[in-house]
């Protein structure tokens, strides 16, 4: 029962598979643009946009419109809050898997 | 989850080498260093031209690194980012002054040790093999293991074999070092060109950004 309660404590915003993938990709870099995230995640533009908006609203992801040379880019990066949330999520999942074993 | 996470991180790191641009530019830089060593050997000892060439090594290295970085950045902006997206690996954050100082200090200490070892052994012919070994390890450990790309194992193996072969060839050290750098540079450029050609074929520019 305790294991199940631990699962209920998980951050559901990150626990969603598509968002977990986005956050994990962003945790490996300083920042990445929309096109890269779309290709790496395999999500459609609309879907990725919706997930990014939710992550931005939660303060986990920062989105900036900028230019690299003449190329317009939508740059996404993980905030400190987002990184902390991902670390906590990983820790909780690890603990839960160890307990379940 | 950890396995997936590592796999995702490796895939993201691999993206830097997906277009071959870094190998192409880095190979060009190595080719220039190779020409520098060979040129040094060709010029008569004590001549003004040779003295000037010897004094310009630092300029070549610093200038080469700066030009290579700019070139890679410019090519990626033009070719890679519009096709498959932009990634900032945050090298600026890791590349702090203390880290650069430490790297420079280690390089200077290794160079001093090599000179001492050469004097002790009474020969510097093995320096070429040692350089090949260093390049081999850089390709195999820093690049192949971090990115999971097999072509870097091939390049690393080539560096090891070439270094030992040139060391045993009996060529003067300047020529053998020049050939080592030049051939590693050419191999890297060849590998980069093939990867870039494949990348451009596989990823046409999207009609809308």
């Amino acid at each position: 029962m305790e294991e199940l309660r631990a699962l209920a404590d998980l951050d559901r915003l990150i626990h969603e598979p598509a968002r977990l993938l986005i956050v994990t990709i962003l945790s490996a870099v300083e920042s990445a643009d929309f096109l890269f995230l779309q290709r790496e995640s395999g999500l459609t533009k609309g879907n990725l946009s919706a997930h990014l908006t939710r992550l931005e609203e939660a303060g986990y992801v920062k989105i900036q419109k900028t230019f690299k040379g003449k190329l317009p880019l939508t740059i996404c990066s993980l905030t400190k809050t987002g990184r902390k949330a991902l670390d906590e999520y990983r820790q909780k999942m690890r603990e839960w898997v160890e307990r379940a074993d | 989850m950890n396995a997936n996470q590592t796999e995702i991180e490796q895939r993201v790191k691999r993206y830097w080498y997906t277009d071959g641009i870094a190998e192409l530019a880095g190979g060009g830089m190595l080719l220039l260093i190779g020409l520098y060593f060979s040129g040094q050997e060709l010029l008569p000892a004590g001549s003004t031209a040779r003295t000037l060439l010897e004094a310009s090594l630092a300029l070549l290295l610093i200038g080469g690194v700066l030009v290579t970085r700019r070139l890679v950045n410019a090519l990626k902006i033009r070719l890679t980012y519009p096709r498959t997206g932009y990634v900032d690996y945050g090298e600026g954050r890791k590349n702090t002054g203390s880290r650069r100082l430490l790297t420079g200090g280690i390089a200077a200490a290794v160079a001093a040790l090599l000179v001492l070892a050469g004097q002790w052994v009474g020969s510097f012919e093995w320096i070429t093999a040692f350089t090949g070994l260093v390049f081999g390890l850089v390709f195999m450990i820093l690049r192949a293991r971090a990115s999971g790309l097999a072509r870097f194992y091939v390049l690393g193996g080539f560096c090891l074999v070439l270094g030992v072969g040139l060391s045993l060839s009996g060529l003067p050290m300047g020529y053998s070092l020049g050939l080592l750098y030049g051939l590693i540079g050419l191999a890297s450029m060849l590998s980069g060109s093939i990867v870039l050609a494949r990348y451009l074929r596989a990823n046409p520019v999207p009609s809308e950004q």
Side-chain angles (χ1 to χ4, degrees):
Chain A
M1 191 65 190
E2 225 176 282
E3 285 91 11
L4 289 175
R5 257 190 228 124
L7 262 186
D9 282 346
L10 282 176
D11 183 339
R12 288 176 191 213
L13 198 78
I14 285 191
H15 188 58
E16 200 283 327
R19 284 195 289 271
L20 180 59
L21 180 60
I22 295 168
V23 170
T24 306
I25 293 169
L26 287 177
S27 74
V29 296
E30 186 77 16
S31 60
D33 79 338
F34 191 89
L35 178 61
F36 177 79
L37 286 175
Q38 198 195 336
R39 289 179 63 96
E40 283 298 306
S41 63
L43 297 168
T44 61
K45 274 187 184 177
N47 217 343
L48 175 60
S49 189
H51 286 304
L52 281 174
T53 304
R54 286 208 63 183
L55 289 166
E56 190 186 25
E57 281 167 359
Y60 289 179
V61 165
K62 194 171 110 188
I63 301 172
Q64 282 174 295
K65 303 258 184 200
T66 182
F67 282 86
K68 190 83 184 164
K70 286 179 181 173
L71 185 73
L73 296 172
T74 304
I75 304 282
C76 309
S77 56
L78 208 57
T79 60
K80 272 186 186 170
T81 316
R83 211 168 278 275
K84 197 175 160 220
L86 179 65
D87 288 342
E88 279 173 7
Y89 173 81
R90 282 173 179 163
Q91 184 62 34
K92 279 183 184 167
M93 278 300 277
R94 219 172 284 139
E95 282 169 9
W96 184 78
V97 170
E98 276 166 15
R99 261 190 265 168
D101 279 346
Chain B
M1 188 184 155
N2 271 339
N4 282 342
Q5 187 191 322
T6 312
E7 200 183 302
I8 291 168
E9 283 171 356
Q10 204 178 47
R11 215 171 63 199
V12 173
K13 277 179 193 160
R14 200 182 305 159
Y15 181 66
W16 176 253
Y17 302 106
T18 195
D19 50 18
I21 289 173
E23 282 158 88
L24 202 57
M29 170 76 191
L30 289 176
L31 185 63
L32 271 181
I33 296 174
L35 289 172
Y36 169 88
F37 281 124
S38 306
Q40 226 180 17
E41 201 67 33
L42 281 170
L43 294 168
S47 66
T48 317
R50 184 160 171 166
T51 312
L52 278 175
L53 194 65
E54 280 169 354
S56 65
L57 180 62
L59 196 72
L60 173 77
L61 291 178
I62 296 167
V65 168
L66 290 177
V67 169
T68 305
R69 271 190 181 183
R70 285 197 153 214
L71 185 68
V72 169
N73 206 22
L75 285 172
K76 280 193 177 275
I77 288 173
R78 198 174 170 79
L79 300 174
T80 315
Y81 302 154
R83 286 176 165 81
T84 50
Y86 165 79
V87 173
D88 177 2
Y89 291 91
E91 282 167 339
R93 190 185 52 176
K94 290 178 198 161
N95 205 2
T96 56
S98 56
R99 199 178 159 132
R100 275 187 218 160
L101 208 67
L102 182 72
T103 311
I106 291 171
V110 170
L113 274 174
L114 288 178
V115 171
L116 283 175
Q119 282 171 348
W120 187 62
V121 176
S123 159
F124 284 94
E125 300 306 314
W126 53 272
I127 295 268
T128 310
F130 179 82
T131 310
L133 174 76
V134 171
F135 273 107
L137 291 178
V138 165
F139 275 120
M140 286 182 182
I141 296 172
L142 292 185
R143 290 200 173 174
R145 268 186 61 190
S147 67
L149 288 168
R151 69 177 191 268
F152 289 125
Y153 284 113
V154 178
L155 276 173
F158 174 72
C159 296
L160 287 173
V161 173
L162 188 68
V164 173
L166 286 170
S167 207
L168 296 172
S169 68
L171 281 169
M173 199 180 80
Y175 281 131
S176 66
L177 264 183
L179 269 174
L180 179 77
Y181 277 95
L183 289 173
I184 292 174
L186 278 177
S188 186
M189 286 177 82
L190 179 71
S191 159
S193 307
I194 295 169
V195 173
L196 180 60
R198 278 188 189 161
Y199 170 81
L200 293 177
R201 258 202 310 272
N203 300 287
V205 187
S207 52
E208 53 164 337
Q209 172 60 30

